[in-house]
Amino acid sequence: MQQLFAAVTALLATHSIRTNSFSPASMLPSTHLTTRYDITKSTQRFLSMPDDDYPSDYDADDLESSKAKTVSVDMDEEDAAIRDELKRELILLASVTNRGMCASTEEKNLLVDLVTQLEALNPTADPALNSQGDWELCYSSTQSFRSSPFFLAIRSFLGDENQSIAENAFDIHDRATTASRVGKVRQIIDAKNRELVSEYELSVGMMPGMPLRMKGTVVTAANLTPVAPETWELEVRGTKVIGSNVPFLDSFLDDNAVELPVGEIYKTLSGSVPVSVLKTYYVDEGMRITRDVDDNFYVFTRA
């Protein structure tokens, strides 16, 4: 157990060093938050509250873990207007809570309702095979960095029996890197080459009290294999930093393709690369909703 924890700690430490200890924080001005309660009230037009006799208008079975879920395909053209309204409310609520980072319990419950209803109204068959393209994260029910294959691999490496260790490690990483800000969080899905690339823009103050900030994008690549209509299996390959605004460092990193071979490190540690599972239960021309093994969900919009 100590060796396992040490291996995870070493991977997290290496990642933190390479990203200059960046971490999630707000990129939205605080003035945007003044509309939060108006948005919440607007959303309540479509969703009843948790203390009602009937908390929502979907079946209780829809709330089961993704392990028991199957893909729904809604072919009713009249539901298109409902989907559009649900998506509009989700995007508005996600934006005023900074992708969920500052959401209240009530807002989180509303977002769960919105996501669950959209999944029940999914218009696309085989969503795992129809998610090609560039996507930008607009909401995450957990720390946004966990959408990266780097952190998905750590969770898979530890397994369900050591889930608490993974959660503690992610919380420690989150607290240790709270001084940084998150910009765009993107996923590029290349179905033809069976690849998922995660891009995570970060910035951190170079000196306390100074307006100068160091910026960069953490890029992590993974092999992607569709194994079911809604399911991908991922194997992380490597991670690197590009686009630094530090003189000379940016050209050095970009020109020399300095990459941490995460997959090879796992092979050295355990003999194989951990397989991470992502399940997509909703995708259309502009939005994708994907869940990880712990049922955390990530909402992406077309970049």
Side-chain angles (χ1 to χ4, degrees), residues 37-111:
Y37 295 104
D38 291 336
I39 299 300
T40 301
K41 291 177 182 178
S42 175
T43 306
Q44 290 172 346
R45 291 179 299 165
F46 303 94
L47 305 167
S48 56
M49 297 309 298
D51 56 354
D52 290 344
D53 292 335
Y54 302 97
S56 60
D57 55 4
Y58 50 79
D59 295 332
D61 292 342
D62 291 334
L63 296 176
E64 294 180 1
S65 167
S66 62
K67 295 179 181 178
K69 285 171 67 72
T70 57
V71 176
S72 298
V73 181
D74 180 24
M75 305 300 293
D76 190 343
E77 294 183 0
E78 295 181 358
D79 288 341
I82 299 175
R83 280 194 295 269
D84 288 343
E85 191 64 36
L86 290 170
K87 289 193 297 181
R88 186 183 72 84
E89 296 293 337
L90 193 160
I91 291 171
L92 285 173
L93 192 52
S95 67
V96 299
T97 60
N98 192 20
R99 290 178 285 211
M101 287 185 58
C102 55
S104 66
T105 300
E106 179 184 8
E107 288 164 335
K108 289 178 181 178
N109 289 337
L110 290 172
L111 283 157

Side-chain angles (χ1 to χ4, degrees), residues 10-197:
L11 281 169
L12 283 172
T14 303
H15 187 272
S16 296
I17 291 171
R18 291 182 62 82
T19 60
N20 197 33
S21 297
F22 292 134
S23 73
S26 173
M27 289 294 287
L28 290 175
S30 59
T31 53
H32 284 261
L33 301 180
T34 58
T35 60
R36 175 187 301 178
Y37 295 104
D38 291 336
I39 299 300
T40 301
K41 291 177 182 178
S42 175
T43 306
Q44 290 172 346
R45 291 179 299 165
F46 303 94
L47 305 167
S48 56
M49 297 309 298
D51 56 354
D52 290 344
D53 292 335
Y54 302 97
S56 60
D57 55 4
Y58 50 79
D59 295 332
D61 292 342
D62 291 334
L63 296 176
E64 294 180 1
S65 167
S66 62
K67 295 179 181 178
K69 285 171 67 72
T70 57
V71 176
S72 298
V73 181
D74 180 24
M75 305 300 293
D76 190 343
E77 294 183 0
E78 295 181 358
D79 288 341
I82 299 175
R83 280 194 295 269
D84 288 343
E85 191 64 36
L86 290 170
K87 289 193 297 181
R88 186 183 72 84
E89 296 293 337
L90 193 160
I91 291 171
L92 285 173
L93 192 52
S95 67
V96 299
T97 60
N98 192 20
R99 290 178 285 211
M101 287 185 58
C102 55
S104 66
T105 300
E106 179 184 8
E107 288 164 335
K108 289 178 181 178
N109 289 337
L110 290 172
L111 283 157
V112 169
D113 283 349
L114 290 166
V115 164
T116 305
Q117 292 192 66
L118 278 169
E119 289 177 333
L121 296 173
N122 167 55
T124 307
D126 301 327
L129 300 175
N130 290 285
S131 297
Q132 174 85 7
D134 295 5
W135 300 90
E136 184 172 340
L137 184 72
C138 76
Y139 179 79
S140 173
S141 65
T142 186
Q143 298 105 327
S144 59
F145 60 77
R146 291 179 62 169
S147 64
S148 166
F150 181 92
F151 291 96
L152 292 170
I154 291 177
R155 172 65 181 88
S156 300
F157 176 66
L158 289 171
D160 291 341
E161 64 276 12
N162 295 304
Q163 181 181 356
S164 61
I165 294 178
E167 297 293 341
N168 288 336
F170 295 150
D171 288 342
I172 290 171
H173 177 75
D174 193 18
R175 290 194 299 269
T177 56
T178 53
S180 61
R181 296 181 180 177
V182 177
K184 292 183 178 180
V185 180
R186 289 159 46 98
Q187 286 185 350
I188 298 94
I189 298 170
D190 185 344
K192 181 178 180 180
N193 294 311
R194 295 197 168 190
E195 179 183 62
L196 184 150
V197 176

